[in-house]
Amino acid sequence: GVNASTQSITFTLISADSGDERIIWHHQEKFDQEKYLSFDASKGYVVKVNESDKQRYVTDPLMVAAALENSMAALKEFIDANGLDMSNIKAISPGAQQHATVYLSKNAGKAFDGPSSKSMREQMRDGRYLAWEYSPIWMDKSTDVQGQSLIANARFGSNEELLRQTGSGFQHRFPAGQIAKFRDDMPEKYQNTHRILNMTAFVGYLLTGNSDFPWDQGDAVPSHLVDIKTRNWLSN
């Protein structure tokens, strides 16, 4: 299991030998460790505040990539030291902040295509696989304008109708508001965006190199982007 939370990434290795499920290894990379201080996000987030952008809380997706890679190295060290085989890992379950969005560029599908001497962080930075270098997170409260626009949309017309169709009234931290604010504030970067993932799917992307790594249906619900009855994406 892989959990990418606000302050850390946690790995849990579970053995299911003969049906006896048990934790055999646990590892955590905390973002307040010295090796992550260069990201300037020791609490797991960066506050970006200016006159037109109040209460925007973001994180650095490259920090998540670095912590994931460090965790994978620690996992390999544990497996090698105990005479185990990495190929015996049958499944990996990623989980992370549902209300954090990562913006991949049109080059993202070329990421991690074959072995490289560079770290995952260096490859993503040099290859410019991110359309935006930051990811708004669940603490973000900067989407008032986008929220009012969403409620007034012809599809909804009221917060009550938004609640009925999507399962929740407007919440600042939901991806619909985050994405709309990114589109409004940075149209050029938005135009260069090929894929938008929540943080859980981003972890899946890092593990597979597949920019089309799918959202879990449950993660799509708290987004204002899907009809909870039909389970279809809303078109506008």
Side-chain angles (χ1 to χ4, degrees):
V2 182
N3 177 42
S5 69
T6 310
Q7 289 89 18
S8 64
I9 276 187
T10 304
F11 268 49
T12 302
L13 185 62
I14 300 174
S15 171
D17 187 26
S18 301
D20 180 22
E21 296 183 358
R22 55 193 175 88
I23 296 174
I24 62 174
W25 181 73
H26 181 83
H27 178 80
Q28 189 171 57
E29 293 283 326
K30 294 184 177 181
F31 297 142
D32 61 358
Q33 292 175 292
E34 185 175 354
K35 56 186 167 182
Y36 298 112
L37 295 183
S38 62
F39 292 99
D40 195 28
S42 61
K43 295 181 180 179
Y45 60 86
V46 184
V47 184
K48 294 292 178 183
V49 179
N50 56 48
E51 288 303 315
S52 61
D53 201 9
K54 296 184 183 300
Q55 295 187 304
R56 169 170 273 186
Y57 288 80
V58 299
T59 193
D60 187 337
L62 293 185
M63 182 171 67
V64 176
L68 182 69
E69 191 162 42
N70 290 335
S71 297
M72 291 296 292
L75 173 61
K76 186 178 187 305
E77 182 178 337
F78 170 81
I79 285 179
D80 291 346
N82 288 273
L84 303 176
D85 190 337
M86 188 77 83
S87 67
N88 285 333
I89 295 178
K90 302 303 181 183
I92 302 175
S93 176
Q97 307 170 53
Q98 291 178 315
H99 304 123
T101 43
V102 184
Y103 303 85
L104 302 181
S105 75
K106 296 175 182 179
N107 296 321
K110 302 175 184 177
F112 322 127
D113 185 15
S116 173
S117 60
K118 295 182 178 180
S119 69
M120 188 181 295
R121 171 190 178 185
E122 289 173 328
Q123 290 180 67
M124 295 188 72
R125 180 182 59 206
D126 296 346
R128 299 180 181 178
Y129 300 135
L130 296 173
W132 184 27
E133 64 271 27
Y134 291 112
S135 297
I137 64 173
W138 63 274
M139 300 167 67
D140 186 40
K141 299 179 181 178
S142 64
T143 57
D144 276 329
V145 172
Q146 290 72 27
Q148 294 305 314
S149 178
L150 179 67
I151 292 171
N153 185 287
R155 174 182 288 277
F156 307 118
S158 69
N159 201 38
E160 290 74 16
E161 183 61 17
L162 177 66
L163 168 62
R164 189 187 71 81
Q165 291 191 41
T166 70
S168 179
F170 173 69
Q171 301 289 335
H172 290 90
R173 64 185 183 273
F174 277 26
Q178 293 178 350
I179 294 168
K181 183 172 178 59
F182 173 59
R183 176 201 63 200
D184 295 344
D185 291 358
M186 289 167 275
E188 291 185 4
K189 291 184 178 181
Y190 179 79
Q191 288 300 317
N192 189 44
T193 300
H194 168 70
R195 185 75 62 190
I196 302 172
L197 303 178
N198 70 358
M199 191 61 74
T200 300
F202 178 62
V203 171
Y205 163 65
L206 294 175
L207 290 170
T208 64
N210 180 9
S211 61
D212 293 328
F213 189 88
W215 282 44
D216 181 277
Q217 285 191 343
D219 287 343
V221 172
S223 66
H224 293 321
L225 296 171
V226 68
D227 186 310
I228 60 171
K229 293 183 178 180
T230 66
R231 298 188 180 183
N232 292 324
W233 294 109
L234 297 174
S235 60
N236 57 17

